[in-house]
Amino acid sequence: PLYFLGAEVLGFYPLGPVFHGAGLNITVLSNNGHLDIGIIACLEQVPNPFQLADEMPPAVAELLAVARERNGKKSTSDSLGPAAKAGSKAAGGKAAPRKAASGQTSSNRRAGRK
């Protein structure tokens, strides 16, 4: 585990640099078996960054399964952490809308609704 001023760091909010000409930035940090991913996008160049975010948990689960298979370990979603599990696809092939801190779901934010 990582500690800051005596307190265990439970998660990161990864943010990468934003500069002219960069339409998409994906920053990934890991700590104590958990993976935190931050996505910053220019809506003019990446019109639907929420779709990219919704697809991230199943893509990470797929990578983890392949890595464990190659290392001869059982693949589970337990080490993906709560954020990855919350964003994973529900039955029917669609990701369940996530609540933001403001109480909006990702689909409402995309449509500009409250």
Side-chain angles (χ1 to χ4, degrees):
L2 181 65
Y3 292 87
F4 180 73
L5 297 175
E8 184 178 356
V9 176
L10 300 176
F12 289 107
Y13 295 92
L15 298 173
V18 177
F19 53 90
H20 180 71
L24 177 65
N25 179 289
I26 301 174
T27 304
V28 180
L29 296 170
S30 65
N31 176 41
N32 201 22
H34 293 276
L35 195 65
D36 296 303
I37 301 171
I39 300 172
I40 300 175
C42 170
L43 292 177
E44 292 174 355
Q45 296 179 356
V46 183
N48 193 356
F50 299 102
Q51 181 180 3
L52 178 64
D54 290 342
E55 294 296 332
M56 197 65 67
V60 170
E62 182 179 349
L63 286 171
L64 182 61
V66 170
R68 286 191 167 157
E69 182 180 304
R70 288 186 181 181
N71 289 323
K73 297 179 182 177
K74 183 181 175 188
S75 179
T76 67
S77 63
D78 290 344
S79 61
L80 291 179
K85 291 176 193 171
S88 63
K89 289 189 175 186
K94 292 190 177 184
R98 296 183 314 270
K99 290 274 186 179
S102 65
Q104 292 181 334
T105 63
S106 58
S107 58
N108 286 343
R109 283 193 311 270
R110 285 184 285 242
R113 297 184 296 249
K114 291 189 176 195

